[in-house]
């Protein structure tokens, strides 16, 4: 008698394919210019507030930065530089702490120059958000790089011209003929005070508000919700009744613009809208203390303490330069055997 064997049916299991992260372009397809990218990291041990300031600076530099860049104690400046080349990174923002104050260095890779700023005061993004009645942070706020505005840098000093050039090139160029208004959502403002020689560092979000439309109507159009009319005699009361805040919050003609394209349901083309700036942080007060010709080394082109000129930084400096020397000592090269491992660690932690 024939025997029938039950053969198990083979179940097809679809393999799980991880979606590859979309690589960011290195060249702008409109302007044809190279897109600047950045690394924000620290040298030495930082306290908790400065660690949070580092994360705030990474968010500010989005989208062309490594938001989750992992650092290890054995990583030195040469390790970051070796990884920066293949990834198209053009600038370093380096935070460090001295005995007197925090220090921010902005460097152009791979050969400099390097601008050293002393941080007199700073406020974190969370502190600014908590101080506001209605903080604003949309999900797509950091989808595009900020616009940069430089004020008070029109002096003929060489150090101010280098500072202007450095910050202008740290963000992508924009073409006013082709730029989309929806991509302009943030502003980075740097204001130089020639009397105090301090730079005010501010970060704002841009909000457009239609002129001549009450706040109640704006909320009704944006939220798509049925309003509460129980305590009103007529629908016209909802339109004319004053709500929370001023109905015409912006009446200044200088603060209004005429839109060339539609941005939202309430901001339409050929209509006037008021430009609102709301600070989102971080906030800093900076002082330019030194400019070096190389990458955190080389000829000292400018020094606030009178050691500028055609001089190279000696190995052991005293006084105010000693603080920078301590940070430079942390950036010395390690053994060549550890360089490959350090590069792999940073590549795994880097996510654009």
């Amino acid at each position: 008698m024939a025997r029938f064997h039950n053969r198990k049916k083979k179940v097809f299991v679809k393999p799980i394919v991880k979606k590859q992260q979309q690589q960011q372009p290195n060249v702008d397809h409109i302007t044809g210019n190279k897109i600047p990218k950045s690394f924000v990291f620290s040298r030495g041990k930082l306290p908790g507030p400065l660690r949070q300031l580092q994360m705030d600076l990474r968010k500010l530099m989005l989208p062309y930065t490594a938001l989750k860049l992992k650092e290890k104690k054995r990583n030195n400046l040469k390790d970051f530089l070796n990884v920066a080349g293949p990834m198209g990174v053009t600038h370093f923002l380096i935070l460090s702490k001295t005995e007197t104050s925090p220090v921010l260095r902005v460097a152009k890779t791979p050969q400099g120059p390097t601008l050293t700023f002393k941080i007199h005061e700073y406020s974190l993004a969370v502190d600014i958000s908590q101080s506001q009645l209605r903080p604003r942070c949309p999900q797509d706020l950091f989808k595009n790089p900020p616009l940069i505005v430089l004020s008070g840098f029109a002096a003929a000093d060489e150090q101010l011209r280098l500072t202007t050039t450095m910050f202008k090139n740290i963000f992508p160029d924009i073409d006013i003929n082709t730029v989309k208004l929806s991509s302009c959502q943030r502003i980075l403002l740097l204001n130089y005070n020639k009397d105090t020689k301090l730079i005010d560092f501010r970060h704002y979000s841009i909000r457009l508000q239609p002129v001549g439309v009450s706040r109640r109507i704006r909320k009704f159009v944006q939220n798509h919700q049925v309003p509460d009319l129980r305590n009103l005699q007529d629908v016209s009361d909802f339109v004319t009744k004053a709500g929370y805040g001023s109905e015409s919050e912006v009446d200044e003609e200088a603060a209004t613009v005429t839109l060339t394209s539609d941005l939202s349901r309430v901001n339409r083309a050929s209509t006037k809208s008021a430009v609102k700036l709301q600070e989102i942080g971080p906030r800093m007060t900076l002082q330019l203390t030194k400019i070096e010709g190389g990458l955190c080394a080389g000829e000292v082109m400018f020094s606030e303490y009178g050691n500028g000129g055609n001089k190279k930084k000696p190995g052991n400096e005293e006084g105010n330069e000693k603080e920078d020397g301590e940070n430079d000592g942390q950036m010395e090269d390690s053994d060549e055997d550890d360089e490959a491992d350090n590069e792999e660690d940073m590549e795994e932690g880097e996510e654009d």
Side-chain angles (χ1 to χ4, degrees):
M1 184 175 180
R3 301 178 62 183
F4 296 93
H5 297 279
N6 294 329
R7 296 182 179 180
K8 295 183 179 181
K9 295 182 179 180
K10 294 183 179 180
V11 180
F12 175 73
V13 179
K14 185 177 180 181
I16 300 175
V17 180
K18 294 183 179 181
K19 294 183 179 180
Q20 296 181 354
Q21 294 182 354
Q22 185 178 2
Q23 295 183 354
Q24 294 179 340
N26 293 327
V27 179
D28 192 338
H29 67 282
I30 297 178
T31 61
N33 300 329
K34 184 178 180 180
I35 297 177
K37 300 180 181 180
S38 62
F39 275 169
V40 182
F41 56 94
S42 62
R43 307 306 300 150
K45 187 176 181 180
L46 295 182
L50 283 180
R51 282 289 179 185
Q52 185 60 43
L53 178 62
Q54 174 181 301
M55 292 303 301
D56 290 346
L57 288 176
R58 288 183 179 180
K59 291 187 65 176
L60 185 149
M61 300 299 295
L62 286 175
Y64 300 111
T65 191
L67 182 61
K68 298 181 180 180
L69 178 66
K70 293 184 179 179
E71 309 169 48
K72 293 190 176 180
K73 292 183 179 180
R74 61 181 180 179
N75 292 137
N76 54 40
L77 187 62
K78 190 174 181 181
D79 297 330
F80 289 98
L81 189 60
N82 292 336
V83 178
M87 294 184 177
V89 176
T90 58
H91 292 82
F92 285 167
L93 277 74
I94 309 171
L95 274 174
S96 58
K97 179 71 170 64
T98 65
E99 296 179 355
T100 58
S101 64
V103 175
L104 173 65
R105 298 188 182 189
V106 182
K108 177 73 172 64
T109 62
Q111 298 179 351
T114 303
L115 278 64
T116 302
F117 297 93
K118 179 181 179 181
I119 304 178
H120 285 263
E121 298 174 346
Y122 69 92
S123 298
L124 303 177
V126 64
D127 298 330
I128 296 176
S129 176
Q130 292 176 353
S131 65
Q132 296 174 349
L133 181 62
R134 291 190 295 269
R136 177 179 180 270
C137 188
Q139 296 181 354
D140 58 346
L141 185 62
F142 299 94
K143 186 178 180 180
N144 298 287
L147 307 176
I148 184 166
V149 178
L150 302 175
S151 176
F153 289 88
D157 297 337
E158 181 66 23
Q159 64 269 19
L160 294 183
R161 289 200 296 266
L162 286 175
T163 305
T164 303
T165 303
M166 178 69 75
F167 281 103
K168 277 185 177 180
N169 296 330
I170 207 171
F171 295 107
D173 298 331
I174 61 172
D175 188 355
I176 59 175
N177 297 321
T178 59
V179 65
K180 295 181 179 179
L181 295 180
S182 59
S183 65
C184 303
Q185 298 191 26
R186 294 185 291 143
I187 283 183
L188 175 62
L189 172 63
L190 298 176
N191 179 52
Y192 177 75
N193 190 330
K194 63 179 180 180
D195 297 328
T196 60
K197 296 184 179 180
L198 298 179
I199 301 175
D200 295 325
F201 186 100
R202 301 290 186 270
H203 186 210
Y204 298 94
S205 66
I206 304 175
R207 179 167 58 95
L208 292 179
Q209 175 179 306
V211 177
V213 181
S214 65
R215 184 171 181 270
R216 283 175 172 267
I217 299 299
R218 291 199 309 269
K219 294 298 181 181
F220 172 69
V221 175
Q222 292 174 350
N223 298 336
H224 306 279
Q225 295 180 355
V226 178
D228 187 3
L229 305 176
R230 290 177 297 178
N231 298 327
L232 301 179
Q233 298 295 332
D234 191 76
V235 179
S236 60
D237 294 340
F238 174 79
V239 179
T240 58
K241 185 178 179 180
Y244 182 80
S246 175
E247 292 297 315
S248 57
E249 297 179 0
V250 178
D251 294 329
E252 299 179 4
E253 191 67 24
T256 61
V257 294
T258 302
L259 301 180
T260 59
S261 60
D262 296 340
L263 291 183
S264 62
R265 293 172 59 89
V266 294
N267 293 293
R268 295 291 184 175
S270 302
T271 60
K272 282 190 175 183
S273 297
V275 180
K276 287 279 193 175
L277 298 182
Q278 185 170 349
E279 188 172 4
I280 55 178
R283 177 196 302 178
M284 293 186 292
T285 301
L286 307 175
Q287 179 186 9
L288 180 63
T289 58
K290 186 170 61 174
I291 299 179
E292 298 168 289
L295 186 65
C296 299
E299 176 187 356
V300 180
M301 306 172 63
F302 166 78
S303 177
E304 182 66 22
Y305 308 113
N307 295 329
N310 297 326
K311 296 181 181 179
K312 291 187 177 181
K313 182 174 57 180
N316 296 322
E317 289 185 338
E318 299 180 355
N320 294 312
E321 297 295 335
K322 182 179 179 180
E323 299 175 355
D324 296 328
E326 294 176 358
N327 293 327
D328 292 336
Q330 300 172 353
M331 299 182 183
E332 293 180 356
D333 299 337
S334 61
D335 297 335
E336 296 181 357
D337 297 337
D338 296 335
E339 291 181 0
D341 296 336
N342 295 337
E343 294 177 13
E344 294 178 357
D345 294 336
M346 286 187 293
E347 288 177 353
E348 292 176 358
E350 192 274 343
E351 296 181 7
D352 287 335

